[in-house]
Amino acid sequence: MDKDRIAGSAKDFAGKVESTVGDLAGDAKTQAEGRAREAAGTVQNIYGQAKDAARDATDAAVNYAKDAYDNSGDTVRSGQQAVAKTVQENPLGALLVAGGIGFALAMLMSRPARRPPSRFRY
């Protein structure tokens, strides 16, 4: 719990007490000061709640990122094992796929640059 929430709740309670005392005594000034203190306490309490919510969201995001980072090695390892198993089970298919990918990359890299068409023809 944030210290602003605690201080805000304390101010809110003190404002309610002061406002009640002002009501009982019939003192409008004390009553107004109590209501102002109560409002300030409520605002500070809400501010503390917002800080707590932001801190919780940040902690959750950090924990999610840590878990993803910690488990990424396992995911890569299992992917490597799946590819190795597929290649062992079907070496000819794997060779054809690798050759097709190599051919496509070679075609993409060896294409001459396109020239823009000339604007004026006579």
Side-chain angles (χ1 to χ4, degrees), residues 51-61:
K51 281 174 50 177
D52 281 344
R55 187 177 307 115
D56 291 344
T58 302
D59 291 344

Side-chain angles (χ1 to χ4, degrees), residues 69-116:
Y69 178 74
D70 291 341
N71 294 330
S72 65
D74 297 336
T75 304
V76 170
R77 260 190 300 285
S78 65
Q80 288 174 344
Q81 290 172 352
V83 169
K85 183 179 177 186
T86 303
V87 169
Q88 288 175 352
E89 290 175 356
N90 190 0
L92 182 59
L95 183 63
L96 290 174
V97 169
I101 292 172
F103 181 75
L105 286 175
M107 292 299 291
L108 287 174
M109 291 180 167
S110 66
R111 287 174 78 187
R114 290 188 178 188
R115 294 184 189 175

Side-chain angles (χ1 to χ4, degrees), residues 9-60:
S9 295
K11 281 183 185 178
D12 185 37
F13 180 73
K16 286 180 183 179
V17 170
E18 188 175 6
S19 176
T20 303
V21 168
D23 285 342
L24 293 176
D27 186 11
K29 181 180 176 189
T30 305
Q31 186 180 11
E33 287 175 355
R35 301 238 168 146
R37 182 177 291 167
E38 184 180 345
T42 302
V43 169
Q44 189 171 6
N45 188 0
I46 291 172
Y47 174 69
Q49 289 176 3
K51 281 174 50 177
D52 281 344
R55 187 177 307 115
D56 291 344
T58 302
D59 291 344

